Amino acid sequence: MKLVSWNVNGVRAGLRKGLLEYMMEHGSDVICLQETKAHPGDVQHIAWPHGYHAYWNSAKKKGYSGTVIFSKIKPLSVVNDIGHKSHDDEGRVIAAEYPDFWLVNVYQPNSQRGLTRLEYRTQEWDPTFLKYLKKLGKKGKPVIFCGDLNVAHKEIDLKNPKTNRRNAGFTDEERGNFDRVLEAGFVDTFREFEPGPDHYSWWSQMMNCRGRNIGWRVDYFVADEKLKPALKRAWISPEVMGSDHCPVGLEISV
């Protein structure tokens, strides 16, 4: 199975910038989008590529957050949200059950400029989401989660780590919580295949950062370590335009 994740920074904007063409050309089995900023009714006129089933989780607030899974393989079940009211108004999580694994599409909260949401992100969201992943895993199938995690885990995962040390997405608290996810039995799939630097999935839209490859790797596929033998390849597609993020992917044998 070929899986793709992409923060499209607004699905309607993405549609104007080649999203449909990308979906048709890439031929992925599952495409997980984040930051859709839309409800299904906002795009009901769109003829999505043939063969995909669409599963939406939209924020209550219009034009904000949101996730969607497009899947050629109809999941056995689909569950929105993580079951905690304080976290479930922003359309951030969709879980799809397949015969051999669960796939979770997540758009994790940004700690925001000035770290105004850091406490919420690191003391409330992160521990609750990890508990949710563990609970899902106890249902008998390994878990893969993907999406914009809004954190660069290691110094190698952003161009300028020293000057960003206390900026949102690279605080010790956020990075430490990512460590705890890996310690709980998950692996960062991209780093299973590529140990080197200069691989990023998000770039500021200022000062030609993308052209100069001054970026951050904040988009991931993270898998239960039990799935390591099934991992075939993982990649980042910086050549794909249409958002300030680019798609990331994972291929697994199931």
Side-chain angles (χ1 to χ4, degrees), residues 188-252:
D188 176 352
T189 62
F190 182 74
R191 288 301 179 202
E192 292 294 304
F193 297 93
E194 176 50 71
D198 301 322
H199 299 282
Y200 310 124
S201 65
W202 175 83
W203 302 262
S204 169
Q205 298 184 69
M206 300 184 292
M207 301 177 66
N208 190 32
C209 282
R210 189 160 187 168
R212 298 158 62 203
N213 199 30
I214 301 174
W216 299 47
R217 189 173 73 96
V218 296
D219 302 87
Y220 299 79
F221 273 90
V222 182
D224 187 314
E225 61 187 3
K226 298 187 191 74
L227 288 169
K228 283 178 71 171
L231 304 179
K232 294 303 177 186
R233 64 187 181 106
W235 67 92
I236 299 174
S237 302
E239 74 282 359
V240 178
M241 310 302 284
S243 170
D244 50 350
H245 295 250
C246 75
V248 300
L250 175 68
E251 186 173 346
I252 59 171

Side-chain angles (χ1 to χ4, degrees), residues 8 17 23 44 46 51 70 72 75 94 152 161 182 211 233 236:
V8 291
K17 298 176 181 178
M23 293 176 70
Q44 61 183 346
I46 299 298
F70 291 97
K72 289 182 177 179
I94 310 174
L182 301 185
R233 64 187 181 106
I236 299 174

Side-chain angles (χ1 to χ4, degrees), residues 1-241:
M1 287 180 70
K2 188 157 66 170
L3 315 174
V4 162
S5 173
W6 192 7
N7 179 325
V8 291
N9 194 17
V11 71
R12 284 168 289 189
L15 288 166
R16 296 192 296 269
K17 298 176 181 178
L19 173 59
L20 286 180
E21 292 78 5
Y22 171 79
M23 293 176 70
M24 289 185 286
E25 291 169 6
H26 198 269
S28 301
D29 296 297
V30 184
I31 300 174
C32 297
L33 305 182
Q34 304 90 41
E35 203 171 2
T36 57
K37 300 181 182 178
H39 287 70
D42 297 327
V43 290
Q44 61 183 346
H45 59 290
I46 299 298
W48 297 102
H50 178 72
Y52 284 106
H53 305 275
Y55 304 93
W56 294 81
N57 190 7
S58 302
K60 288 186 177 180
K61 180 181 176 182
K62 287 279 190 178
Y64 178 72
S65 188
T67 46
V68 62
I69 293 177
F70 291 97
S71 182
K72 289 182 177 179
I73 303 160
K74 191 171 184 178
L76 302 176
S77 65
V78 177
V79 182
N80 284 357
D81 305 319
I82 60 177
H84 287 261
K85 184 170 177 56
S86 60
H87 303 308
D88 287 346
D89 288 343
E90 298 181 349
R92 292 188 177 275
V93 176
I94 310 174
E97 180 188 7
Y98 293 96
D100 298 299
F101 62 92
W102 283 90
L103 177 63
V104 178
N105 179 17
V106 58
Y107 175 39
Q108 294 205 144
N110 189 304
S111 294
Q112 300 295 331
R113 187 180 298 274
L115 303 180
T116 57
R117 265 196 131 184
L118 179 65
E119 183 175 334
Y120 166 72
R121 163 64 191 265
T122 58
Q123 297 184 28
E124 297 181 44
W125 170 273
D126 284 346
T128 304
F129 184 64
L130 181 54
K131 287 179 184 176
Y132 161 81
L133 293 173
K134 290 178 177 178
K135 184 177 180 180
L136 200 60
K138 289 179 180 177
K139 293 187 176 184
K141 296 178 182 178
V143 175
I144 300 169
F145 70 96
C146 68
D148 176 2
L149 304 189
N150 267 310
V151 59
H153 182 215
K154 300 289 188 181
E155 290 194 354
I156 197 174
D157 294 318
L158 72 168
K159 189 69 171 182
N160 296 312
K162 290 182 172 57
T163 56
N164 282 291
R165 183 66 182 274
R166 283 305 293 172
N167 285 343
F170 198 61
T171 63
D172 293 344
E173 296 93 327
E174 292 162 306
R175 297 168 64 202
N177 282 352
F178 197 103
D179 286 335
R180 280 181 269 281
V181 170
L182 301 185
E183 290 163 4
F186 289 91
V187 295
D188 176 352
T189 62
F190 182 74
R191 288 301 179 202
E192 292 294 304
F193 297 93
E194 176 50 71
D198 301 322
H199 299 282
Y200 310 124
S201 65
W202 175 83
W203 302 262
S204 169
Q205 298 184 69
M206 300 184 292
M207 301 177 66
N208 190 32
C209 282
R210 189 160 187 168
R212 298 158 62 203
N213 199 30
I214 301 174
W216 299 47
R217 189 173 73 96
V218 296
D219 302 87
Y220 299 79
F221 273 90
V222 182
D224 187 314
E225 61 187 3
K226 298 187 191 74
L227 288 169
K228 283 178 71 171
L231 304 179
K232 294 303 177 186
R233 64 187 181 106
W235 67 92
I236 299 174
S237 302
E239 74 282 359
V240 178
M241 310 302 284

